[in-house]
């Protein structure tokens, strides 16, 4: 049997701190500190505890060249067997086919090692962001200030005020007024159906293809309303939809070339409940009629930027551009919008049938009818959306 190390692997020394009452009574601080190693392998998607001997053996196994397992004899044999079972060492034997297939898929994706590790280990599966804020006492801005102390200054100056070059101001135009109304909506009207025409308008404006540049039969670059690294536009839009006129509640994929929705089968629970869990219990966002999961096809981006240190950053920037275009398009249509990265990516990937290292969810945005009452606090200091009590519109 031949073996090699997995393609991407980071080893991190950690410290466990445990309370020891006997030590406290003996005069110490009562804390016992133990050092250990953790292996971070993106093809696995979860942390793996290893000991120091396993760590040293991993450093001796090539990630590229296959080596006969018999070469690791004596004390190394049980260590090699342990690493095979943990998926950190890959074997050609059929017993270890699952780990090998996962590793080979990652190799074929042209990920930069640090980007792959960051992507794999910053995903959530069943987080509750609301409960976390409640438990830490950071639900409101005042609680944040009390728990965390003063934040860094809201703005900085690099020169004295007398040295600043003041810029002329111009009268507001239509774009300025639209930007002033762009705020994050946290109060949606769940009872009001969203017209299909509005859904179509927003999806076309934000995700639709405006033009194509065909270099060869199989090499096509796209023009959309937001920028994308290399004109590749790898970010796909997967939707959870409810209460849209003329459209069944459910999961969909937006096809940007055809400007069409593709129904996706397999949902095993009501859309509203799935939205809430996917948004880590952020009910103020889950009330929107449309949830859009931004899921890049990483192979599309990494085809050009192979193992590139900036490739993943370009995809993140693209998601930001798309969310801002969505905000402005929704605001122009009289709708509310939001974007969040506090999401359970694993839950959405399971619902849409996505492989997280091939087409993993990066962020979620959404839109719908704004409620007439502000129940959850929104930041609208210019009062473009919500008027102060007693002030006429």
């Amino acid at each position: 049997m031949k073996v090699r190390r997995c393609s991407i692997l980071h080893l991190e020394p950690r410290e466990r701190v445990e309370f020891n009452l006997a030590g406290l009574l003996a005069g110490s601080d009562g804390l016992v500190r133990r050092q250990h190693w953790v292996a971070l392998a993106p093809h696995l998607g979860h942390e793996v505890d290893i000991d120091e001997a396993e760590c040293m053996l991993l450093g001796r196994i090539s990630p590229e060249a296959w080596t006969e397992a018999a070469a690791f004899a004596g004390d190394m044999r049980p260590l090699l067997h342990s690493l095979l079972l943990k998926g950190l060492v890959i074997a050609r034997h059929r017993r270890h086919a699952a780990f090998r297939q996962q590793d080979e898929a990652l190799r074929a994706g042209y990920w930069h090692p640090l980007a792959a590790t960051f992507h794999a280990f910053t995903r959530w599966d069943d987080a509750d962001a609301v409960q976390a804020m409640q438990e830490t006492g950071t639900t409101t801005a005042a609680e944040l200030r009390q728990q965390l102390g003063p934040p860094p200054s809201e703005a900085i100056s690099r020169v004295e005020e007398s040295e600043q070059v003041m810029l002329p101001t111009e009268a507001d135009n239509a774009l300025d007024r639209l930007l002033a109304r762009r705020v994050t909506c946290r109060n949606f009207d769940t009872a009001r159906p969203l017209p299909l025409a509005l859904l179509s308008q927003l999806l076309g404006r934000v995700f639709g293809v405006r033009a194509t540049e065909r270099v060869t039969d199989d090499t096509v670059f796209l023009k959309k309303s937001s920028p994308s690294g290399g004109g590749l536009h790898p970010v796909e839009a997967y939707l959870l939809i409810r209460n849209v006129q003329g459209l069944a509640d459910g999961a969909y994929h937006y096809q940007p070339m055809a400007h069409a929705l593709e129904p996706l089968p397999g949902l095993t629970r009501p859309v509203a409940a799935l939205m809430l869990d996917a948004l880590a219990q952020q009910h103020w966002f889950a009330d929107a009629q449309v949830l859009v999961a931004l899921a890049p096809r990483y192979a599309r981006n990494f085809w050009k930027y192979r193992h590139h240190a900036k490739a993943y950053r370009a995809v993140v920037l693209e998601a930001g551009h798309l969310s801002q275009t969505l905000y402005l398009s929704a605001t122009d249509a009289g709708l509310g919008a939001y974007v969040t990265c506090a999401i359970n990516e694993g839950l959405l990937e399971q619902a849409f049938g996505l492989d997280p290292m091939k087409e993993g969810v990066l962020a979620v945005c959404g839109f719908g009818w704004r409620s007439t009452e502000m129940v959850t606090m929104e930041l609208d200091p210019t009062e473009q959306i919500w008027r102060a009590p007693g002030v006429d519109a």
Side-chain angles (χ1 to χ4, degrees):
M1 181 176 68
K2 291 189 175 183
V3 298
R4 69 182 180 189
R5 200 180 74 222
C6 59
S7 58
I8 300 177
L9 175 65
H10 289 91
L11 302 176
E12 181 180 334
R14 296 263 185 93
E15 182 177 74
R16 288 194 181 99
V17 182
E18 300 172 353
F19 176 70
N20 181 273
L21 179 59
L24 181 65
L25 296 176
S28 73
D29 60 4
L31 300 178
V32 177
R33 303 177 186 275
R34 295 186 175 89
Q35 313 303 315
H36 70 290
W37 287 92
V38 172
L40 304 174
H43 74 288
L44 298 177
H46 61 268
E47 298 180 354
V48 179
D49 286 333
I50 60 173
D51 60 30
E52 188 171 348
E54 290 174 325
C55 181
M56 296 302 294
L57 180 57
L58 283 169
R60 298 178 58 181
I61 302 176
S62 170
E64 301 297 335
W66 291 99
T67 305
E68 287 290 346
F72 302 95
D75 294 341
M76 290 187 291
R77 183 171 294 278
L79 296 176
L80 181 67
H81 179 68
S82 175
L83 293 172
L84 282 166
L85 294 178
K86 292 175 179 179
L88 300 175
V89 171
I90 306 301
R92 281 181 167 170
H93 196 281
R94 62 178 179 273
R95 288 200 307 267
H96 306 285
F99 288 139
R100 185 177 68 253
Q101 291 167 2
Q102 292 171 240
D103 182 65
E104 288 174 349
L106 183 63
R107 289 173 185 268
Y110 305 116
W111 280 87
H112 185 275
L114 293 177
T117 305
F118 173 83
H119 176 73
F121 291 97
T122 56
R123 299 166 60 254
W124 290 351
D125 283 311
D126 57 358
D128 186 329
V130 175
Q131 182 179 358
M133 289 189 295
Q134 293 171 346
E135 291 177 350
T136 56
T138 55
T139 301
T140 67
E143 289 175 340
L144 275 171
R145 172 61 178 80
Q146 181 178 3
Q147 293 291 337
L148 306 179
S153 175
E154 66 276 12
I156 64 170
S157 294
R158 305 306 296 260
V159 299
E160 296 296 329
E161 186 175 349
S162 60
E163 299 178 67
Q164 294 176 345
V165 180
M166 304 307 295
L167 299 173
T169 57
E170 301 293 335
D172 286 353
N173 59 21
L175 178 59
D176 294 309
R177 292 189 289 273
L178 177 64
L179 289 169
R181 300 199 312 274
R182 189 220 64 82
V183 300
T184 295
C185 181
R186 291 182 173 85
N187 297 273
F188 289 96
D189 184 350
T190 59
R192 186 178 178 185
L194 185 72
L196 182 60
L198 274 182
L199 173 69
S200 174
Q201 180 189 76
L202 262 69
L203 293 180
R205 283 182 172 178
V206 180
F207 303 105
V209 173
R210 303 301 180 94
T212 61
E213 182 70 31
R214 186 173 295 275
V215 180
T216 67
D217 287 343
D218 60 0
T219 306
V220 182
F221 297 90
L222 306 177
K223 165 65 177 174
K224 295 187 179 182
S225 55
S226 296
S228 174
L232 296 169
H233 292 280
V235 178
E236 299 286 332
Y238 289 87
L239 297 90
L240 293 177
I241 292 175
R242 55 137 179 229
N243 203 13
V244 173
Q245 292 174 345
L247 200 60
D249 290 3
Y252 295 84
H253 169 250
Y254 176 69
Q255 215 297 337
M257 302 287 286
H259 183 52
L261 288 175
E262 300 174 333
L264 301 177
L267 288 189
T268 59
R269 53 196 305 202
V271 173
L274 180 56
M275 284 180 166
L276 183 60
D277 288 344
L279 288 163
Q281 306 305 311
Q282 296 176 94
H283 54 84
W284 47 86
F285 292 150
D287 286 343
Q289 281 82 359
V290 181
L291 177 153
V292 185
L294 303 179
R297 286 185 295 133
Y298 293 103
R300 170 77 177 173
N301 182 270
F302 300 164
W303 163 77
K304 178 179 180 180
Y305 304 111
R306 301 188 177 197
H307 309 293
H308 199 294
K310 300 293 186 180
Y312 188 77
R313 187 177 297 192
V315 177
V316 173
L317 287 172
E318 181 176 334
H321 293 310
L322 288 168
S323 67
Q324 174 70 337
T325 303
L326 178 68
Y327 265 88
L328 295 178
S329 299
T331 303
D332 180 68
L335 302 173
Y338 71 86
V339 64
T340 180
C341 63
I343 55 174
N344 286 312
E345 296 93 333
L347 187 62
L348 286 168
E349 289 155 358
Q350 182 180 18
F352 295 126
L354 305 177
D355 182 328
M357 299 308 293
K358 292 182 178 179
E359 196 175 353
V361 175
L362 187 59
V364 163
C365 50
F367 56 91
W369 289 118
R370 179 180 291 280
S371 174
T372 58
E373 181 182 2
M374 183 168 62
V375 176
T376 302
M377 180 63 185
E378 292 184 17
L379 290 175
D380 181 31
T382 59
E383 296 183 0
Q384 295 294 308
I385 303 298
W386 302 102
R387 299 292 182 179
V391 177
D392 294 333

